[in-house]
Amino acid sequence: MAAQHDVTQSWRLGALELAAAYAAGTLTPLTVVEALGERIARLNPELNAIITLNPAARDEAAAATARWAEGRPLSPLDGVPLTVKDHLNTLGLATTWGNRALAGNIATEEELAVSRCRAAGLVILGKTNVPEFTLEGYTDNRLFGVTRNPWNPALTPGGSSGGAVASLAAGLAPLALGTDGGGSIRRPASHTGLVGLKPSIGAVARAGSLPQVMLDFEVVGPLARSAADAEALYRIISGPDVRDPASWRARPEMPARPLRIHYVPRLGEQPLDAEIAASVEQALAVFARLGHRVTQGELPFSLEPVDRFWPMMGAAAVAAIFRAFPGTESEAAGRFRDMAGQGRQLSATDYLCGLDGIGRFRRTVAEAFLDIDIIITPSAAALPWPAEQPYPGEIDGRPVGPRGHAIYTGWVNACGHPAINLPAAPSADGLPIGFQLVAAMGQDALLLRLAAEYEQQQAGWQWPALAEG
């Protein structure tokens, strides 16, 4: 008989490790969920990562325990705990979007990715905190307050999937569902040392969602502490659905061969934290050792169409939210009311011309990937900053605006290609640093394979001091 695991230490295990323990009978989903409940009660008050607990989690875990005992798990991840980002509808739980007017908005429909997790037997622990309307790069709102980074609670975990990454890094859950409309999976993952995948447009079908105000820029994706766990969750949530005509089945993976990797360290004259630059340079050496051909230079296309359309999309998005949920405007932060005013002044002509520019941008990027397999950039231009502060005021000694830290990720949402954040060497103060790999449209499996190869060359995941406490 296999030796029993110490359930009090089960928070250290990844998703696939937990599933293996369930199969071996050394842990059960019920005892794990009960142990995580105690950990959440102890650590979450400081972090504010999980803002709504699922009262049915224990019953879901008990049902999974029975299935494993009978040898009929619903999936390889049956009984594995999961957190869900607040604005992903989850039946019976509140979907607040970080706005006080939606505090009692109990979901009567469910995001398809959440339903797929439920059908696979994953145990939903609860919903994780977001910035208001998931439109900012840190995590704070007037309904639930600020979310903090387990590596240093004085600092932000980023956003908008800030609660999701904080729950993972603190060992409150081994998996999380996030969304990425401009970097909202990849940048928070970089600030907390995690693996975060932004799938290709259409790889994870959307249905049962809140209004898609970020168009098809926003996708649902997995967050985990390892590439293998991220892939396991991706396999469950991905795939087409008749309700989403843009969705598609998995495409053939590119054959294994030396890849053409193009490293873009900077975007024009935009500042980049020196420690991030040095850390990503170190990571590049891993890909060279793996036999891939690495070049360095600028992006092989202009971001001008993205830079022009992004402010229009954001302003129109807030105006659309206020129309769909009228009570939210009076409760929203003033900056969002200002954005909505700008959105209402936009002409349909300007918006459609902006969309046309995005269409041309997508074709240009697709053509560039005929000569490149992977583009690598930093995931964020700045290290984590004070948790209550919307953005860092300066980077590398130079003043920056609200998006100065976020310049590397939004273009990938605009073109729709897949991208994944991977951890690199930490800063001198031990803060996580990450970088992103971007592949051609539909090459999500290639990214996950390359992430696993990179991970095998690196040291294992390190827990922050808070999680060890």
Side-chain angles (χ1 to χ4, degrees):
M1 178 181 292
Q4 294 294 306
H5 277 90
D6 180 357
V7 72
T8 64
Q9 296 298 304
S10 59
W11 60 270
R12 295 176 175 274
L13 300 179
L16 292 173
E17 291 174 317
L18 284 174
Y22 298 161
T26 58
L27 286 172
T28 71
L30 181 56
T31 56
V32 168
V33 165
E34 289 175 337
L36 288 179
E38 295 174 2
R39 186 169 178 81
I40 290 168
R42 182 162 58 87
L43 296 182
N44 195 60
E46 179 178 11
L47 296 174
N48 196 32
I50 299 174
I51 44 87
T52 302
L53 289 170
N54 177 16
R58 192 179 185 282
D59 291 340
E60 293 174 15
T65 297
R67 290 191 295 270
W68 278 107
E70 295 166 5
R72 52 178 188 88
L74 295 175
S75 78
L77 295 183
D78 195 352
V80 173
L82 169 83
T83 62
V84 177
K85 191 173 178 179
D86 174 78
H87 82 305
L88 292 173
N89 282 326
T90 304
L91 281 172
L93 299 181
T95 302
T96 74
W97 227 344
N99 183 274
R100 290 188 293 200
L102 298 177
N105 180 42
I106 304 302
T108 56
E109 57 181 343
E110 189 160 84
E111 178 75 39
L112 179 58
V114 178
S115 293
R116 286 173 167 173
C117 289
R118 198 186 293 279
L122 281 87
V123 177
I124 298 171
L125 292 178
K127 307 292 288 295
T128 54
N129 203 20
V130 298
E132 195 167 19
F133 308 127
T134 60
L135 289 175
E136 296 186 288
Y138 80 131
T139 299
D140 189 13
N141 59 66
R142 295 193 291 176
L143 176 59
F144 293 112
V146 67
T147 295
R148 299 181 180 278
N149 193 323
W151 293 89
N152 181 343
L155 304 179
T156 183
S160 61
S161 301
V165 297
S167 73
L168 284 179
L172 308 185
L175 292 172
L177 274 186
T179 61
D180 194 315
S184 288
I185 284 175
R186 289 159 289 154
R187 291 197 314 276
S190 77
H191 294 319
T192 48
L194 301 170
V195 176
L197 175 68
K198 183 208 89 69
S200 300
I201 289 174
V204 178
R206 300 296 305 269
S209 310
L210 288 175
Q212 295 294 288
V213 293
M214 295 291 285
L215 310 176
D216 60 359
F217 286 30
E218 182 192 84
V219 295
V220 179
L223 285 149
R225 294 190 293 263
S226 71
D229 282 359
E231 181 178 12
L233 182 54
Y234 174 74
R235 287 182 179 276
I236 285 170
I237 65 174
S238 61
D241 187 272
V242 294
R243 292 166 290 178
D244 183 354
S247 60
W248 41 265
R249 294 193 181 279
R251 295 173 182 173
E253 184 182 343
M254 183 182 296
R257 59 171 172 77
L259 297 173
R260 300 164 296 174
I261 296 177
H262 185 60
Y263 172 50
V264 181
R266 292 178 182 271
L267 297 184
E269 298 300 317
Q270 297 290 332
L272 171 67
D273 185 279
E275 287 192 281
I276 294 176
S279 176
V280 181
E281 291 277 356
Q282 282 184 254
L284 282 178
V286 175
F287 295 101
R289 289 200 301 271
L290 287 168
H292 303 300
R293 181 164 63 87
V294 179
T295 59
Q296 181 172 328
E298 299 180 352
L299 281 176
F301 38 79
S302 169
L303 300 185
E304 188 273 336
V306 181
D307 296 338
R308 179 159 29 90
F309 181 66
W310 204 272
M312 287 192 284
M313 180 174 64
V318 179
I321 292 169
F322 289 166
R323 176 175 290 186
F325 301 97
T328 58
E329 183 165 8
S330 62
E331 294 290 351
R335 59 187 175 277
F336 293 115
R337 293 196 292 272
D338 293 341
M339 287 178 67
Q342 297 165 14
R344 291 173 184 131
Q345 296 300 313
L346 274 174
S347 73
T349 301
D350 288 342
Y351 198 82
L352 287 173
C353 286
L355 279 175
D356 181 67
I358 294 298
R360 286 184 278 108
F361 174 72
R362 290 179 175 183
R363 292 189 289 274
T364 300
V365 176
E367 291 171 0
F369 272 88
L370 295 175
D371 301 316
I372 296 171
D373 297 317
I374 299 288
I375 290 177
I376 292 182
T377 78
S379 290
L383 294 169
W385 57 93
E388 298 87 352
Q389 191 174 309
Y391 58 90
E394 64 176 42
I395 297 173
D396 198 31
R398 293 169 54 189
V400 295
R403 299 292 296 177
H405 66 101
I407 58 173
Y408 290 101
T409 51
W411 69 268
V412 190
N413 299 82
C415 69
H417 288 217
I420 193 168
N421 177 80
L422 299 176
S427 74
D429 291 333
L431 292 176
I433 292 172
F435 63 99
Q436 69 171 346
L437 310 177
V438 185
M441 181 67 81
Q443 289 297 327
D444 304 49
L446 171 65
L447 285 184
L448 289 162
R449 186 187 80 202
L450 191 57
E453 292 175 0
Y454 168 82
E455 205 171 71
Q456 290 168 5
Q457 302 293 314
Q458 302 296 89
W461 203 83
Q462 301 296 310
W463 289 99
L466 181 146
E468 294 283 7

